[in-house]
Each structure stands twice: as structure tokens, then as C-alpha cells.
Amino acid sequence: MKTNYNIDENGYYGTFGGAFIPEMLYPNVEELRQNYLKITSESSFQKEFLALLKEYVGRPTPLYFAKRLSEKYDTKIYLKREDLCHTGAHKINNTIGQILVAKRLGKTRIIAETGAGQHGVATATVCALMGLQCIVYMGEIDIQRQSPNVARMKMLGAEVRPVLSGSKTLKDATNEAIRDWINHPQNTHYIIGSVVGPHPYPDMVSRFQSVISEEIKAQLLEKEATENPNYIIACVGGGSNAAGAFYHFLNEEHVHLIAVEAAGKGVGSGESAATSILGKIGIIHGSKTLLMQTSDGQITEPYSISAGLDYPGVGPLHSHLFETQRAEFIAITDDEAMLSGIELSKMEGIIPAIETAHALAALDKKQFQSSDIVVINLSGRGDKDLNTYIDYFKL
Ligand SMILES: *Cc1c(COP(=O)(O)O)cnc(C)c1O
């Protein structure tokens, strides 16, 4: 029997997904659900989306053969350079797609939530590009921790609204964004930053990010005379860069998919973000998926040295890939990731985001054949993480 890893007509990947939303949000989500496939398949949409990816984002991103890294691990390692995208990571692929959908739905006001600020910056960027009003909800604690990204969003013309409720971090910012959306159903689109949230967001965001695996196929065909690698490795916070890197390989069962989560200080330490291992089925941000929670169902505060992997859930696609064992899940600690970040810097002259460094650390956990083709999705660059690298290595 062939398992299907695409979403079904009810918005589920196997038993995960759906849209568990308050009644007052129903009209907004339903409007999106009824229109997203129609809008995104129109040729005028495709033309504008692809032109912006090319001219503004800088796609296609290179598939770079990492010679020295390959020698060290005695296998063929390619890096998919999403770090070279405008704004420094893959997130802009999604925000470009969603802003074009919002425009076609007649929306004039954009809201977003952000934790580390990377999604806020990617959203503020496309709002500036399109001349649309942008409001970004951000926890008070995160505003203090991520001041350069707050400044970036302000320079780009966005309003950053501090969130003072709860733990004053990402999940509270998400709650405020949802409240805003309920109060402004007519003119506002909510740009969610990963493959999370109620249907149709996980599917819509996966499709926008799927350009990553589409390009990998064409680039491998040219370089290796085959479209399919043996392994694809990507880090997972909410799961959008991994969803994009896996998308066109999901039904190629011989392509081994590796999803890398943040173990933080260790899976059993109480300070971790390894959702597939530590999570149980529950509802987060309108989606049924695996999430870290207490025995009475309250969300557990996750921890990782990397702000982008510090999320208590994973998107429903990844819960399904975990449950069906289509993807292998590996947990990498802070220390392992930091060492891999330095290793790539010194061996290839590429300073990766700390999120991405988790994916690189998976190289130490597997045994590859020298003829294997291993593609690592280099989700972002490390400029934003310089202070963390400085503190950790006493640079
Ligand atoms: C945000 C971010 C991630 C994590 O988000 P996903 O939705 O899991 O991709 C990973 N890498 C970088 C560089 C990021 O900015």
C-alpha cells in the first residue's frame, strides 16, 4: 500500500491537522480555505510569485558541493543555500507567497507573530515591498532578547506591539495575533511563519516552501544525473524549511528524510525542544499535532539555544512523518550544534544560523557510504547569532 503524505480534503495528514478554532475565527479561516488553491494556481499569481522569488529573493539558491566537509565524512555532501535568500533565511519564500494571497483577497492590513524576530522581519519586509500596513506581535521578553530584529522591523515600517500576558514569549504573541484577527476579520490577513496553525496554513506554507525541493531535484539532475539524493537533512522548529526540502521527495520512499530537532540541554533534562520524543497529541494554534505539555494539557515552555527551534509543537505534517516513520527524527543538543556551527565556518567559510547548525550535527549521528548523496538544507545564515557564538566560544 502506498501511503500518501499530502494533505487530505479535510485538512489532515493521517490523524494530524484540522482546524480547531474558536467560532469567531471561522469566517477568516474559511475564506482562506476556500480560496488559497484557486488563487495560488492562477497563472498571474504563479508569474508574480516566481518573478519575486527570482528578482527579489535571489532564487534559485545554489546547491553547493561542500568539498572539505565531504572529505571529512567520506560521502558526497551538498548544501542547499537558503542562507543566501534576501533577509538571510528561507522564511521569505513563505511571506512573499502569503502577501500575494492577501492582496488578492483584498486585504490591506497584515498581522504576524514572532519569537526570535526572524518571521517578523520577513513579514515586515514584504509589507514594505507591497506598501501594506504591518503589525507584529512580540512577547516583551523576546523584544528585550532580540533588539536588533525589533530595530529592523521598525526600519521597515512595521509596528511592533509588545505582549505582556503569560510568559511574554512566542505562544502569548500568537494568542494576541489571533485575538487581533478575530477583531478585524474584513481587512486583515494573518501571516503565520511556519507549517503550523489551522488548515489550510500547513499546506499553504508547505507549498510556498516546496520551491526548495523543486530546485534540489533540477540541480541534482544536472550535477549527479539523478533527481534523488540518498538523504535529505533539515532542522525542525515548526517545520517549514524541512517541509520545503522534503516536499517533492515525500513519495520517493528510497530518499531517506532526516528531521533534526533541538534537544537543548538534553532530551531528559527538562530543558529541551525535542517535540517528537517529548510531545503527546494535543491542540496547539488550531492544529491537532504533537506538542510538549503537562499531564493536564498545559503547554510546556520549550528550551533551545537556538531561538528559531524553541517551539513547543511541530506542524501536523511532521507528526505524520514521525508516526509513519517516513522520516527519521534526531535530537541534537546545544553543545553539538554549536560545535557543528564552528566546524562549517572553519571548513567551508560559511557561518550558519544556530538552527541550521543542528541539521549539520546530524552528520555525526549517521554512517554514510562514500557514494551516498547527502543534501543538507542550510536554512539560514549566522549573522543574527553572532552574540550567541561570541558568548559560547568566548570569541
Ligand atoms: C525560523 C528558522 C528555522 C525554524 O523554522 P522552521 O519553520 O522549522 O523552518 C530554522 N532555521 C532558520 C534559519 C530560521 O530562521
Side-chain angles (χ1 to χ4, degrees), residues 158-175:
E159 180 194 336
V160 180
R161 287 204 185 152
V163 175
L164 302 167
S165 56
S167 55
K168 304 180 181 135
T169 58
L170 179 62
K171 72 177 164 53
D172 314 288
T174 304
N175 291 339

Side-chain angles (χ1 to χ4, degrees), residues 335-350:
D335 293 337
E336 290 167 333
M338 294 306 279
L339 288 174
S340 291
I342 281 280
E343 176 178 84
L344 188 73
S345 307
K346 294 214 156 66
M347 292 190 71
E348 297 288 347
I350 299 170

Side-chain angles (χ1 to χ4, degrees), residues 135-155:
I135 294 158
V136 179
Y137 289 91
M138 189 168 185
E140 173 89 322
I141 302 233
D142 289 331
I143 287 180
Q144 285 161 17
R145 287 194 289 206
Q146 311 288 341
S147 57
N149 276 339
V150 176
R152 282 187 188 104
M153 287 184 266
K154 288 181 178 168
M155 280 192 73

Side-chain angles (χ1 to χ4, degrees), residues 88-91 118-119 193-195 209 235-243 306-309 318 353-356 378-381 384-385:
H90 65 287
K91 288 197 171 70
Q118 293 302 107
H119 173 56
S194 190
V195 287
Q209 293 292 0
C235 66
V236 173
S240 69
N241 87 84
S306 142
L309 301 185
H318 295 290
I354 298 174
E355 291 86 353
T356 314
L378 217 73
S379 58
R381 59 177 171 245
K384 69 184 179 61
D385 295 318

Side-chain angles (χ1 to χ4, degrees), residues 5-23:
Y5 301 101
N6 293 327
I7 204 147
D8 68 20
E9 59 275 19
N10 299 314
Y12 280 84
Y13 301 94
T15 54
F16 301 103
F20 296 82
I21 49 174
E23 195 182 329

Side-chain angles (χ1 to χ4, degrees), residues 128-350:
L129 178 69
M130 296 295 168
L132 294 181
Q133 186 190 357
C134 180
I135 294 158
V136 179
Y137 289 91
M138 189 168 185
E140 173 89 322
I141 302 233
D142 289 331
I143 287 180
Q144 285 161 17
R145 287 194 289 206
Q146 311 288 341
S147 57
N149 276 339
V150 176
R152 282 187 188 104
M153 287 184 266
K154 288 181 178 168
M155 280 192 73
L156 293 162
E159 180 194 336
V160 180
R161 287 204 185 152
V163 175
L164 302 167
S165 56
S167 55
K168 304 180 181 135
T169 58
L170 179 62
K171 72 177 164 53
D172 314 288
T174 304
N175 291 339
E176 283 307 315
I178 288 174
R179 206 161 294 152
D180 179 310
W181 206 22
I182 290 172
N183 290 327
H184 302 89
Q186 300 295 339
N187 67 347
T188 298
H189 175 70
Y190 177 18
I191 299 193
I192 294 183
S194 190
V195 287
V196 301
H199 177 63
Y201 280 99
D203 183 48
M204 181 171 67
V205 178
S206 296
R207 286 167 185 263
F208 291 147
Q209 293 292 0
S210 72
V211 64
I212 298 172
S213 46
E214 194 180 315
E215 289 176 4
I216 292 172
K217 278 198 172 243
Q219 290 166 322
L220 273 184
L221 190 60
E222 199 174 288
K223 290 170 199 287
E224 293 282 351
T226 171
E227 289 193 335
N228 295 331
N230 301 89
Y231 294 85
I232 304 228
I233 306 177
C235 66
V236 173
S240 69
N241 87 84
F246 294 168
Y247 195 89
H248 291 285
F249 301 106
L250 287 170
N251 292 315
E252 312 269 13
E253 300 277 349
H254 51 283
V255 178
H256 196 105
L257 308 176
I258 300 183
V260 184
E261 295 182 309
K265 295 190 174 158
V267 169
S269 70
E271 292 182 83
S272 182
T275 306
S276 68
I277 301 166
L278 298 171
K280 299 211 164 47
I281 293 182
I283 309 273
I284 182 170
H285 303 152
S287 177
K288 189 203 267 187
T289 192
L290 294 172
L291 69 126
M292 290 164 47
Q293 53 189 311
T294 61
S295 53
D296 45 359
Q298 293 300 307
I299 291 167
T300 313
E301 200 63 37
Y303 164 82
S304 163
I305 194 167
S306 142
L309 301 185
D310 192 351
Y311 182 75
V314 285
L317 166 64
H318 295 290
S319 294
H320 183 55
L321 296 179
F322 177 73
E323 191 185 61
T324 57
Q325 296 181 17
R326 173 66 188 93
E328 178 182 1
F329 282 66
I330 293 179
I332 293 295
T333 64
D334 289 355
D335 293 337
E336 290 167 333
M338 294 306 279
L339 288 174
S340 291
I342 281 280
E343 176 178 84
L344 188 73
S345 307
K346 294 214 156 66
M347 292 190 71
E348 297 288 347
I350 299 170

